[in-house]
Amino acid sequence: MLASVIFYLAFVVGVTSLNNGIGKLPKLGYNTWNVYQCDYNATVLLAQAQAIVDGGLLKAGYDTFMLDDCYSLRKRGDGGSIVADPEKFPDGMKSFTKSLKALGFNAGIYSDAGYETCAGFPGSYGHEVQDLETFSDWGFSYLKYDNCYIPFDQVTQENVYGRYVRMADAIESHAQQPGSTPFQLALCEWGWQQPWVWARRLGQSWRVGGDIRPVWSALASIINSASFISSSSDFYAHNDFDMLEVGNTGTGTPPGNLTFDEAKSHFTAWAFLKSPLLIGTDLANTISDTFEILGNKDILKISQDPNVGEAIVPFRWGANEDWTFDPVHPAAYWTGNSSYGVVFMLLNTLDEPQNMFFNLTESWAIRAGRVYSVYDMWSHTENGTALRNMTVTLPPHGVAALLLNDAGPEPENYEPYCAGYWQCSYPNGTYYSN
């Protein structure tokens, strides 16, 4: 009975931590890890932030600058507080976040639910309240919380959920302080224990797999996993598919080799599936195509829809039978609703061009017996109307991002009488055969 009461209280605290006015929409911003890992300082990071501003991405909504692992000394200070690395931040962490805010950014930081972070710096287990106060004092308001170097079971007597509750409790306690800035909690649990089921009780986003790599096979594998859990996203609750690998990857990782079409597919899927959009590439040394992709206003407005929080979902797998788990060929036909029309995403998972055909009413959001206008969110053009069905030709690993809106009734007595002839019946009960 006591264990049940403790679990119930943890659940209540977790739910309360979501009601702090932030995290409704997927986070847009930048993360330092994939470019720099531990090799950075305040100067190079502020140059990256300036590149985001100069490229127009801050104006497009990428307003959070996320400082990942390796920012502190290896040992805590005498009072137990985390100490910022004075070589990386010679003017102090407050000066760094002040500079970010002067450019127009919110500041995010990283920690861990274990004894150490994944790179071996101080983790927050046993210091949750103290570390959160430190982060707040430094000027941060967004916390990515990892899951490395966890204590023995006999120490915690908790599973991963219980260890994350400790930081959720600290965030809730912090929020009760007069004048405090609410913290947004992003869980980095990697997906092994199905965080899409329970993590919304504690934070606003959760990782659903391992670290991303800038190759098509890695993206296809992530989209495959997303094919089965996309419906778990909504306001204040976002599947996190890891960082955006659009553009150069910098010095910390091997150069990316995504084609332009693959990069568009990557960005479209992450945005329409309502993942946080945290850029993980070097924007200070990149090409204009990168900014063109990341700054696509039509795609971003679906990600940041103020009225519809649900992600798109598959309506047909394509290369496989529906509901087939295949990291090489994930679901190819997706749809969902938005404030701006019915969204379709067609993804060519093949290594060759493909003609992709579908009936409009395969989407739950389409009305039968209507004609629909078609807007292409990559070419930014109105492409006429669609009646009953469409065919789109896509390059290898390419994507179509379409927005359909009702354009009136279809022609009277248009045959066949039903776009999907199965179960289509005359008034006398006789089935209509196409």
Side-chain angles (χ1 to χ4, degrees):
M1 178 66 180
L2 178 58
S4 299
V5 172
I6 292 173
F7 183 85
Y8 175 75
L9 290 174
F11 177 87
V12 172
V13 168
V15 171
T16 304
S17 71
L18 292 177
N19 297 328
N20 57 11
I22 58 174
K24 177 181 179 180
L25 300 176
K27 179 68 70 177
L28 271 61
Y30 187 87
N31 185 290
T32 63
W33 180 253
N34 282 17
V35 177
Y36 300 107
Q37 295 186 16
C38 294
D39 186 17
Y40 62 77
N41 58 45
T43 300
V44 298
L45 296 185
L46 290 173
Q48 197 69 238
Q50 186 64 57
I52 298 171
V53 175
D54 295 342
L57 295 181
L58 175 66
K59 187 176 181 180
Y62 294 88
D63 62 0
T64 295
F65 195 95
M66 171 71 215
L67 178 63
D68 213 288
D69 210 343
C70 312
Y71 54 82
S72 72
L73 295 179
R74 295 275 181 179
K75 301 293 183 181
R76 291 177 176 270
D78 292 340
S81 295
I82 291 177
V83 179
D85 187 331
E87 291 188 7
K88 292 180 177 178
F89 301 95
D91 296 324
M93 197 64 84
K94 288 184 180 181
S95 175
F96 174 66
T97 60
K98 184 178 180 180
S99 297
L100 286 176
K101 291 174 182 179
L103 289 172
F105 292 96
N106 300 309
I109 198 166
Y110 167 97
S111 191
D112 189 277
Y115 290 129
E116 295 182 0
T117 68
C118 295
F121 293 83
S124 290
Y125 181 79
H127 294 267
E128 289 85 1
V129 173
Q130 183 179 30
D131 286 356
L132 194 72
E133 293 301 324
T134 295
F135 300 150
S136 178
D137 182 59
W138 282 349
F140 294 98
S141 57
Y142 176 82
L143 177 62
K144 174 183 174 181
Y145 208 47
D146 219 329
N147 192 37
C148 289
Y149 295 103
I150 59 176
F152 295 157
D153 291 348
Q154 288 184 335
V155 174
T156 67
Q157 298 184 36
E158 286 286 0
N159 59 16
V160 62
Y161 173 84
R163 292 191 300 273
Y164 277 129
V165 163
R166 296 170 66 98
M167 182 55 79
D169 285 348
I171 289 174
E172 172 62 13
S173 177
H174 175 78
Q176 303 305 315
Q177 299 176 15
S180 65
T181 300
F183 259 81
Q184 184 169 338
L185 180 61
L187 283 65
C188 187
E189 196 276 326
W190 316 323
W192 312 141
Q193 295 196 21
Q194 299 181 314
W196 52 90
V197 176
W198 53 265
R200 70 181 63 226
R201 300 171 180 174
L202 306 178
Q204 288 85 1
S205 63
W206 48 85
R207 283 280 296 281
V208 298
D211 292 345
I212 195 171
R213 293 177 294 113
V215 293
W216 175 253
S217 60
L219 303 182
S221 179
I222 293 171
I223 295 170
N224 172 63
S225 296
S227 302
F228 300 91
I229 61 173
S230 59
S231 61
S232 63
S233 286
D234 207 333
F235 290 138
Y236 301 101
H238 315 295
N239 288 315
D240 182 353
F241 304 119
D242 205 10
M243 284 165 262
L244 289 170
E245 287 288 351
V246 176
N248 298 335
T249 56
T251 58
T253 56
N257 61 352
L258 298 181
T259 67
F260 185 62
D261 290 315
E262 289 170 345
K264 288 168 58 179
S265 297
H266 174 24
F267 178 64
T268 304
W270 265 234
F272 287 1
L273 286 162
K274 304 300 178 101
S275 171
L277 301 179
L278 295 175
I279 302 164
T281 55
D282 184 1
L283 296 177
N285 297 283
T286 192
I287 57 177
S288 59
D289 285 349
T290 298
F291 294 100
E292 177 186 341
I293 293 173
L294 294 172
N296 185 320
K297 294 181 180 179
D298 285 326
I299 303 295
L300 288 174
K301 74 179 183 182
I302 304 301
S303 163
Q304 301 294 295
D305 192 326
N307 304 307
V308 178
E310 301 96 335
I312 61 172
V313 296
F315 64 86
R316 180 148 45 94
W317 258 242
N320 294 304
E321 293 293 325
D322 290 351
W323 303 105
T324 299
F325 188 92
D326 184 350
V328 178
H329 300 297
Y333 296 83
W334 301 68
T335 191
N337 203 5
S338 80
S339 297
Y340 316 100
V342 180
V343 177
F344 283 86
M345 181 179 76
L346 310 180
L347 188 68
N348 181 7
T349 66
L350 305 182
D351 298 332
E352 58 189 18
Q354 182 181 187
N355 295 324
M356 302 188 68
F357 170 87
F358 64 97
N359 286 320
L360 301 189
T361 52
E362 289 184 80
S363 168
W364 65 269
I366 289 288
R367 295 173 59 193
R370 311 290 293 183
V371 177
Y372 278 80
S373 65
V374 180
Y375 179 78
D376 188 314
M377 287 184 271
W378 276 110
S379 66
H380 312 292
T381 56
E382 296 285 353
N383 291 358
T385 57
L387 174 59
R388 294 283 180 93
N389 56 62
M390 287 185 65
T391 299
V392 178
T393 302
L394 292 176
H397 307 160
V399 71
L402 306 175
L403 199 59
L404 273 63
N405 276 286
D406 194 322
E410 65 182 29
E412 190 173 353
N413 295 321
Y414 186 82
E415 293 192 60
Y417 294 118
C418 298
Y421 66 89
W422 52 92
Q423 303 296 322
C424 187
S425 172
Y426 290 101
N428 65 4
T430 303
Y431 281 132
Y432 172 81
S433 179
N434 189 347

